[in-house]
Amino acid sequence: MFKKAIVKTPGESLVNGLSRAGLGHPNYEQALVQHGNYIDVLKHCGLEVIILEKDENFPDSTFVEDVALLTPECAIVTNPGAASRRGEVASMQKTLEKHFIHIEKVFEPGRVDAGDIMMVGAHYYIGLSERTNQKGALQVIKHLESYGMTGSTVELKHVLHLKTGVAYLEHNNLVASGEFLSKPEFEKFNILEIDAVESYAANCIWVNDRILLPVGYPKAYETLSQAGLDIIEVDVSEFRKLDGGLSCLSLRF
Ligand code: CIR
């Protein structure tokens, strides 16, 4: 069970965040409302939410998930793949020092966005993407192993991050879309297939036996509720315009 979450208020510079979605710029006021609602939902799931102040210097810094991997044993501060995001790690490291005894780091030439890392118990799947390279993944695996955990890499081609297309919802349930439906490494899971037209819904999260799912994906809702999952729908449409979603907006631990 998670006890806490770290989130970061979006700055007005959010509208200039990185995007390949082609959905236009987010509306800042609406993004703030959606972010506030997201915080309320995390609280409703029993989490203490640590809200970091906005930082206009880093348009994408509200997507806190990418700058650190939090495990029960340690935090690993990443070295993000996008140059414009690398400076986000310094302030996050300061925050994490208040909550973690052990903090490890990823260094050049290793690059990692933790949106590429999916936790399944004590094993961590690390997507090799345009943001996360082999050298970065190997550094993460070495850190994990030094604390008795394990990691392995997964190739991905069509989406930004591993967790853009796949989500582990505990109890062996794996939500998957597109290229992840046929990965041999995921065959052992109970796959909950997300239809290609609703692929954005694959970025859902497990929070203390509730599932946060984006609003507006009826087929995905049906699939997850048929599987007996307890769903809360959350509107993150403005963050979708920047390729972000429910997992990216918090670090849960
Ligand atoms: C970026 O391109 O880095 C941001 N606009 C979106 C990051 C989304 N993060 C995630 O999927 N973990």
Side-chain angles (χ1 to χ4, degrees):
M1 299 290 260
F2 294 127
K3 292 200 170 83
K4 298 182 186 180
I6 297 171
V7 302
K8 190 170 177 106
T9 306
E12 284 173 60
S13 62
L14 175 80
V15 298
N16 300 317
L18 298 171
S19 178
R20 56 186 217 176
L23 297 171
H25 293 288
N27 175 296
Y28 179 60
E29 295 306 323
Q30 215 176 322
L32 271 184
V33 171
Q34 291 181 354
H35 196 259
N37 181 47
Y38 178 78
I39 291 169
D40 289 344
V41 171
L42 293 178
K43 287 181 180 166
H44 179 73
C45 294
L47 302 190
E48 176 194 333
V49 183
I50 298 149
I51 306 170
L52 306 178
E53 278 178 26
K54 65 181 179 178
D55 185 344
E56 297 293 355
N57 294 318
F58 297 105
D60 287 295
S61 56
T62 193
F63 301 113
V64 285
E65 171 180 69
D66 293 315
V67 295
L69 173 68
L70 306 187
T71 81
E73 313 299 331
C74 67
I76 303 175
V77 175
T78 67
N79 183 35
S84 66
R85 301 201 57 189
R86 257 166 239 151
E88 293 176 26
V89 297
S91 66
M92 182 56 77
Q93 181 164 346
K94 286 206 181 90
T95 300
L96 294 174
E97 280 164 1
K98 297 180 195 149
H99 300 277
F100 284 80
I101 298 168
H102 302 292
I103 299 189
E104 307 296 343
K105 290 188 75 163
V106 174
F107 292 104
E108 285 288 328
R111 303 259 171 90
V112 173
D113 277 11
D116 276 316
I117 309 183
M118 180 175 73
M119 177 178 81
V120 178
H123 186 79
Y124 293 78
Y125 291 94
I126 307 173
L128 298 176
S129 68
E130 62 185 51
R131 300 283 178 86
T132 297
N133 64 16
Q134 182 83 27
K135 287 194 165 76
L138 291 179
Q139 288 183 40
V140 171
I141 292 171
K142 215 171 155 194
H143 290 313
L144 291 169
E145 288 179 348
S146 71
Y147 292 93
M149 300 173 283
T150 53
S152 58
T153 57
V154 182
E155 301 277 346
L156 61 106
K157 290 194 179 73
H158 303 302
V159 289
L160 179 63
H161 289 125
L162 177 68
K163 284 187 288 186
T164 310
V166 70
Y168 186 62
L169 302 184
E170 303 298 324
H171 315 293
N172 209 44
N173 289 322
L174 187 82
V175 161
S177 67
E179 62 190 297
F180 303 107
L181 290 166
S182 53
K183 292 275 180 204
E185 51 268 72
F186 295 149
E187 270 172 11
K188 63 182 176 186
F189 296 112
N190 174 37
I191 301 269
L192 302 173
E193 180 172 346
I194 301 295
D195 192 282
V197 295
E198 293 196 357
S199 61
Y200 181 71
N203 186 256
C204 50
I205 52 173
W206 177 96
V207 184
N208 298 351
D209 278 337
R210 315 296 293 271
I211 306 301
L212 275 51
L213 184 73
V215 165
Y217 300 89
K219 290 182 182 184
Y221 188 98
E222 181 64 16
T223 302
L224 270 56
S225 55
Q226 290 279 337
L229 299 171
D230 185 0
I231 303 165
I232 304 177
E233 289 184 293
V234 187
D235 192 357
V236 281
S237 62
E238 298 313 295
F239 300 99
R240 182 184 177 206
K241 293 174 181 170
L242 301 178
D243 309 312
L246 290 165
S247 75
C248 329
L249 288 172
S250 63
L251 282 164
R252 303 159 299 279
F253 63 109

